[in-house]
Amino acid sequence: MKRQAEIRWREEKYRVMFHSQKHYNAIRVAMREQQPYETIAVMIDDAIAQTPTSGSMRNAIQHMWGYFKKHVTSEQKAHYDELMTNEQYDDVCCYLRQLANDYNITYLQNSTILQEERH
């Protein structure tokens, strides 16, 4: 069950952060304490049910952007900056999914936040 919780957390980490930094922090503690999978799963589901704020979305996206910032072209960086300036967070997530595929960043490719269809 510990392995199952680790896998679920790895996949959901940025999605949780996107919805709630408070829940993200609580789940990190629960993982460190090796809480049972069922507890972690409920905490993740509760976090995802929260309405994201502009700050929580921006924070999660900036964390994900860290995987690319040393690799992207100046044009790609400018596009990211434009989307962020205009707070087009759904579009940024789609763009990050594209970059994750382009740069083969497996960790982000497996993240549920980038697998969601955004409108």
Side-chain angles (χ1 to χ4, degrees), residues 11-23:
E11 293 171 348
E12 299 281 10
K13 181 165 109 171
Y14 290 116
R15 188 171 170 206
V16 167
M17 187 185 292
F18 189 85
H19 286 265
S20 170
Q21 183 68 42
K22 180 179 115 184
H23 285 77

Side-chain angles (χ1 to χ4, degrees), residues 10-11 14-15 107-115:
R10 183 173 58 237
E11 293 171 348
Y14 290 116
R15 188 171 170 206
Y107 190 80
L108 291 180
Q109 288 172 316
N110 294 330
S111 180
T112 57
I113 188 71
L114 298 184
Q115 294 172 5

Side-chain angles (χ1 to χ4, degrees), residues 8-56:
R8 175 93 191 266
W9 178 233
R10 183 173 58 237
E11 293 171 348
E12 299 281 10
K13 181 165 109 171
Y14 290 116
R15 188 171 170 206
V16 167
M17 187 185 292
F18 189 85
H19 286 265
S20 170
Q21 183 68 42
K22 180 179 115 184
H23 285 77
Y24 174 86
N25 293 339
I27 295 168
R28 283 184 57 205
V29 170
M31 290 296 296
R32 223 178 2 255
E33 294 174 348
Q34 298 185 358
Q35 295 289 322
Y37 172 77
E38 293 77 12
T39 301
I40 301 296
V42 167
M43 293 174 79
I44 289 171
D45 292 342
D46 185 47
I48 293 167
Q50 304 303 307
T51 302
T53 65
S54 180
S56 67

Side-chain angles (χ1 to χ4, degrees), residues 82-119:
E82 178 185 344
L83 293 172
M84 289 298 282
T85 298
N86 295 322
E87 298 185 351
Q88 295 174 281
Y89 300 124
D90 287 345
D91 292 342
V92 178
C93 286
C94 290
Y95 187 55
L96 292 179
R97 178 175 53 207
Q98 176 189 332
L99 291 175
N101 291 332
D102 290 350
Y103 289 101
N104 197 31
I105 308 294
T106 307
Y107 190 80
L108 291 180
Q109 288 172 316
N110 294 330
S111 180
T112 57
I113 188 71
L114 298 184
Q115 294 172 5
E116 293 178 336
E117 285 300 316
R118 302 213 166 265
H119 308 275

Side-chain angles (χ1 to χ4, degrees), residues 63-76:
H63 275 82
M64 291 185 286
W65 177 251
Y67 285 87
F68 306 109
K69 65 181 178 184
K70 293 182 181 177
H71 306 288
V72 295
T73 65
S74 56
E75 291 83 10
Q76 289 170 322

